[in-house]
Amino acid sequence: MLDNTKKKLNSKCDVNAIKIGNNLRKYGNRHQVAQNIKIWMQPTMKIWRTTSKSRSKAKQSEEDWEQNDESERLKLGKERQHVGRSDSTIRAGWWSGWPICGNNILCTPTCSPSYALQPEDPPIKQRQSIRSSDILSSLVGDLKVPDRKNAADSPDAVAGFADLHRRCQQLPEEWTVFQISKCYTPRWNSLTHQEMLRERTCVEFILLKYPNSELLDGKPLMIRLEPPKESDFFAVLSSIPVEVKSFLEEEVNSGSRRQDEIESHIAGIIDRLVTWLGPWVVLFSGKFTSPRDQQLEAEIFNRVEDFCITNKRSKRDQLLMSLLARRLDLVDLKAIYRFCCEMAADEHKLKGMFDFLAGLKESKFDVVFNSSCFPCLMVVDELVDSYPWEMMNTGQEFCRFGSVRLLMQLVETHRDKIKNGYLRVPALKCHSIINPDNNLAKMSVRLQAFYKEWYQDFKLTIDSPPTDSEFGTILRETDVMIYNGHGTGLQFIDGETILQQDIKSLIFLFGCDSVRLFASGLFRDMAGSHLYYNIAKCPTVVGALWALTDYFTDYYSILLVGQWIPTQNPKFREHSVFDLDSSAFKHGTLQITKKTQSKLGDENLLALMAQFRRRNWLPKRIRCAMVCRGLPVINSAF
């Protein structure tokens, strides 16, 4: 079996660097810091090891910076209104006024309007004073932090790491939490935002809460993937929103039908992403919910443990093998062989590990494995946020966050309502805003027909935007707000007004790019409408990562809402929303076809979204675009 698999591979797989962030040592003197400490840097919570090589690159970047014309430097400094990744590592003097306690170093949110730092342009002399071979010493000096010998509140990577560990342990046991981020490179000093999106760098998966984590005392685990050989890999993956919008605009302007081309483009990107991840696609899987699956996992865990004891493998190896073995149904033999290449030191050990894992796959996953899992909570870096991560495991429940800190804040705000891993929201008082721009006549007719009959108790705002006062009342007093129209709805209400609200509603934004992150300048951090809602304590925002088409968006919206919130109309009480005639709905009427075998509904919102990702009759441009930003939710009034 091993020989056959080898023949399928063109060459031995590259060995990815797998690092476990559980050996942070306390600060020594300043001379030792640069070589001995992993620093959890703001704003994307990356682990960055300072070496003599990286210090020389950093110093060279500073020298190149100083050689630029002074006027150009001032111009560039004004454009950098937000401190980017390059500034956070190299130009430490720009951090003046940045909170430096352990919590903020670990958990500061990315691209959040409420938290983004907007420093004044530093003077040229101040920038020159930053040039130092010891970056951490410069950082501490510029921030005027007292020496560790004289103060207990100075920056401490060990204390910050311990705080992150403690906070992760307090999250619900049912959750799997991990962060995806591109690795920092000194080249970012000279790159614009769009260039950073295309830059070929490693990608880090930092597991904060994950299955079998007790093997490492529950400490975070980092797995680093090297970029693929294709030079355009990240450029293509980052292009989805732009390409989809271009396709749709050309279709509208020229009347061409390019749906098949769009579908093929997105399908190709998903295939490339899965191929690149290889065995690590198993990271996109939560903890099992059913006793049957849990029993199978326990049996596999014991088999892996016996193998590791017999072959004298470490606890780290046992953990990584168990993460793969519990979801061998998601990978093929080629991915298993790649994993073994990364783990085994010689040919004999490689063969033994491959035979063991391949045998497990054949004996335990020989039939279709339909598992039910608790949610995966992904903290996604802005540079990889437009990727269709949810399609890596279409049966899994996913939700996204912009930062660890935002995740922690939402959990603390709504902790009393979180039971068994889900936020329980009674979807009783609901308000739907339909066509507020009053220029989508067909959509207005369709959705009015649906909501006026299916949900007779819903409050509706039709063909006109709500005032600021009305919008604030909706956010504070209703359980669910549904927006169907252009964009995000922020064209009718100021973001500052949203931030002043104490939002109660769960929010659906069925508009183009409604939860997409945008960069408003060459060097700005990215921001999105959902961040305003989340910062104002909104637990969950459902929306689209890119542009959508009219009819399919309307149809997706009534399917999702209709399955999650039961109708109170006796006429439809025994029917599922799937029983509606889709052709009649397209023309603005509600008709029931013969009763289907579809389930009448589901209280679990993320489970419904996962179910729709597997519906092949829905276009991929719709299935991949719709994501959840916030906490996993259950309708407690179901």
Side-chain angles (χ1 to χ4, degrees):
M1 185 181 296
L2 176 62
D3 295 335
N4 292 334
T5 304
K6 281 184 177 180
K7 294 178 182 178
K8 296 179 182 179
L9 299 175
N10 294 327
S11 61
K12 186 174 180 179
C13 299
D14 295 333
V15 178
N16 293 339
I18 302 173
K19 299 183 180 180
I20 300 179
N22 62 348
N23 294 318
L24 294 180
R25 290 183 284 178
K26 294 185 177 180
Y27 284 111
N29 57 50
R30 291 186 175 182
H31 178 72
Q32 296 172 332
V33 165
Q35 295 182 347
N36 296 341
I37 299 297
K38 287 181 179 179
I39 308 171
W40 291 80
M41 304 297 288
Q42 283 182 310
T44 53
M45 206 192 71
K46 289 181 168 53
I47 300 177
W48 190 71
R49 183 188 294 273
T50 307
T51 63
S52 58
K53 182 177 180 180
S54 62
R55 287 201 307 273
S56 64
K57 289 184 178 180
K59 186 174 181 180
Q60 182 63 42
S61 298
E62 283 298 310
E63 291 173 352
D64 294 342
W65 173 273
E66 298 300 338
Q67 291 173 3
N68 290 337
D69 180 75
E70 180 171 332
S71 61
E72 290 296 320
R73 282 182 281 154
L74 288 173
K75 179 180 178 182
L76 183 58
K78 290 181 179 179
E79 289 181 330
R80 289 183 179 268
Q81 295 182 17
H82 291 243
V83 175
R85 292 169 176 74
S86 57
D87 301 302
S88 67
T89 308
I90 303 301
R91 274 180 285 285
W94 288 38
W95 284 31
S96 180
W98 191 285
I100 198 66
C101 66
N103 296 354
N104 288 327
I105 287 181
L106 294 171
C107 307
T108 295
T110 305
C111 63
S112 168
S114 176
Y115 298 99
L117 180 64
Q118 300 186 22
E120 298 293 333
D121 291 338
I124 300 300
K125 292 183 179 180
Q126 181 181 349
R127 296 182 196 169
Q128 293 174 342
S129 68
I130 297 167
R131 298 172 60 180
S132 170
S133 61
D134 191 333
I135 294 175
L136 185 64
S137 298
S138 176
L139 169 63
V140 174
D142 290 324
L143 289 173
K144 299 181 180 179
V145 177
D147 190 88
R148 283 180 51 82
K149 297 179 180 179
N150 302 322
D153 59 347
S154 54
D156 189 337
V158 176
F161 184 88
D163 182 70
L164 176 66
H165 184 201
R166 176 183 61 81
R167 288 172 180 267
C168 291
Q169 294 304 305
Q170 294 174 353
L171 295 174
E173 285 300 320
E174 295 83 2
W175 289 356
T176 297
V177 184
F178 58 89
Q179 173 170 313
I180 311 173
S181 59
K182 292 185 77 172
C183 297
Y184 167 79
T185 170
R187 274 177 46 82
W188 283 356
N189 279 332
S190 58
L191 299 182
T192 64
H193 181 82
Q194 288 299 320
E195 290 171 335
M196 285 192 288
L197 290 175
R198 300 190 294 267
E199 182 73 3
R200 293 183 71 254
T201 64
C202 299
V203 174
E204 293 173 344
F205 289 80
I206 302 174
L207 280 64
L208 303 174
K209 198 171 185 68
Y210 49 95
N212 304 326
S213 59
E214 63 275 4
L215 289 172
L216 294 179
D217 299 325
K219 294 179 180 178
L221 167 72
M222 184 177 76
I223 298 175
R224 175 176 292 173
L225 272 66
E226 296 293 330
K229 295 181 180 179
E230 302 97 311
S231 59
D232 65 342
F233 179 79
F234 291 111
V236 172
L237 263 64
S238 301
S239 70
I240 298 180
V242 177
E243 291 294 330
V244 170
K245 185 175 182 179
S246 174
F247 288 149
L248 296 179
E249 286 179 347
E250 183 173 338
E251 182 176 321
V252 171
N253 295 332
S254 64
S256 63
R257 310 297 293 177
R258 302 188 61 185
Q259 287 91 342
D260 291 341
E261 188 175 349
I262 299 174
E263 295 298 292
S264 177
H265 180 73
I266 296 176
I269 286 177
I270 294 173
D271 290 341
R272 293 178 71 170
L273 193 55
V274 171
T275 301
W276 171 62
L277 288 172
W280 303 115
V281 75
V282 299
L283 299 179
F284 294 85
S285 178
K287 299 177 180 179
F288 294 125
T289 60
S290 71
R292 176 182 61 85
D293 294 338
Q294 292 171 358
Q295 182 179 358
L296 175 62
E297 181 179 22
E299 181 181 344
I300 291 176
F301 181 87
N302 292 335
R303 293 276 299 275
V304 171
E305 184 178 38
D306 292 341
F307 176 86
C308 290
I309 292 174
T310 302
N311 293 273
K312 299 180 180 179
R313 310 291 302 195
S314 66
K315 289 291 185 181
R316 186 207 70 165
D317 292 349
Q318 181 183 343
L319 172 62
L320 295 174
M321 288 185 66
S322 66
L323 287 175
L324 175 69
R326 67 187 296 272
R327 292 312 307 263
L328 284 169
D329 58 301
L330 298 178
V331 296
D332 56 15
L333 293 179
K334 183 184 294 186
I336 294 175
Y337 180 76
R338 173 178 160 184
F339 175 84
C340 296
C341 289
E342 297 171 359
M343 298 289 293
D346 55 52
E347 187 75 15
H348 176 72
K349 292 181 179 179
L350 187 154
K351 184 179 185 304
M353 183 179 293
F354 178 84
D355 289 342
F356 170 73
L357 292 173
L360 270 183
K361 177 177 175 63
E362 183 177 357
S363 61
K364 300 298 181 182
F365 300 94
D366 56 337
V367 295
V368 177
F369 183 64
N370 294 318
S371 63
S372 175
C373 299
F374 286 109
C376 279
L377 283 69
M378 303 186 295
V379 180
V380 186
D381 177 26
E382 62 182 40
L383 297 181
V384 294
D385 186 72
S386 62
Y387 299 3
W389 296 113
E390 286 81 359
M391 300 302 288
M392 299 303 97
N393 182 4
T394 54
Q396 174 63 45
E397 302 172 16
F398 290 105
C399 47
R400 298 188 181 202
F401 297 85
S403 68
V404 175
R405 182 176 179 179
L406 184 58
L407 164 61
M408 298 296 182
Q409 287 181 335
L410 288 176
V411 170
E412 288 302 316
T413 300
H414 303 282
R415 185 177 293 276
D416 293 342
K417 298 180 181 179
I418 298 176
K419 306 294 182 183
N420 300 322
Y422 294 91
L423 176 70
R424 304 186 68 83
V425 174
L428 298 174
K429 297 178 62 177
C430 305
H431 195 116
S432 180
I433 301 173
I434 301 172
N435 187 29
D437 288 286
N438 197 20
N439 58 3
L440 297 171
K442 292 182 179 179
M443 183 195 77
S444 180
V445 171
R446 284 193 290 261
L447 295 181
Q448 284 188 61
F450 174 75
Y451 283 108
K452 287 181 178 179
E453 290 197 51
W454 198 268
Y455 295 118
Q456 295 177 334
D457 54 337
F458 273 30
K459 292 185 178 180
L460 304 177
T461 300
I462 301 172
D463 296 339
S464 63
T467 64
D468 279 9
S469 176
E470 292 171 341
F471 203 95
T473 301
I474 293 171
L475 295 176
R476 291 192 306 271
E477 298 181 2
T478 62
D479 298 317
V480 178
M481 187 197 81
I482 305 166
Y483 173 87
N484 289 88
H486 289 299
T488 67
L490 288 185
Q491 63 267 40
F492 305 114
I493 185 171
D494 185 76
E496 186 65 28
T497 303
I498 294 178
L499 292 175
Q500 294 172 359
Q501 309 299 322
D502 188 3
I503 297 180
K504 173 186 176 183
S505 295
L506 182 146
I507 296 174
F508 292 90
L509 299 176
F510 294 111
C512 294
D513 303 309
S514 54
V515 295
R516 178 184 171 188
L517 292 176
F518 290 92
S520 55
L522 290 178
F523 303 99
R524 284 177 177 268
D525 287 336
M526 302 178 77
S529 62
H530 59 281
L531 292 171
Y532 290 95
Y533 294 108
N534 287 147
I535 291 169
K537 301 181 182 180
C538 172
T540 304
V541 181
V542 174
L545 292 175
W546 50 74
L548 304 170
T549 51
D550 191 8
Y551 165 68
F552 280 111
T553 306
D554 298 341
Y555 192 46
Y556 182 96
S557 71
I558 69 165
L559 292 180
L560 184 61
V561 175
Q563 286 291 90
W564 190 59
I565 305 176
T567 178
Q568 300 301 318
N569 188 339
K571 178 181 177 181
F572 305 115
R573 188 71 63 84
E574 300 300 321
H575 290 277
S576 162
V577 71
F578 287 103
D579 296 343
L580 295 176
D581 188 322
S582 58
S583 298
F585 170 74
K586 186 174 184 178
H587 294 92
T589 58
L590 223 59
Q591 296 180 8
I592 296 292
T593 60
K594 63 179 181 179
K595 184 174 176 58
T596 65
Q597 300 300 317
S598 300
K599 187 178 178 181
L600 291 182
D602 196 324
E603 62 180 0
N604 187 341
L605 180 62
L606 294 185
L608 287 172
M609 296 182 71
Q611 178 189 137
F612 292 164
R613 291 188 192 104
R614 299 192 297 271
R615 299 273 184 174
N616 292 328
W617 44 266
L618 279 172
K620 280 189 173 64
R621 62 182 181 274
I622 302 294
R623 288 184 282 153
C624 299
M626 301 304 299
V627 299
C628 174
R629 303 275 199 183
L631 300 173
V633 179
I634 276 181
N635 181 4
S636 60
F638 192 83

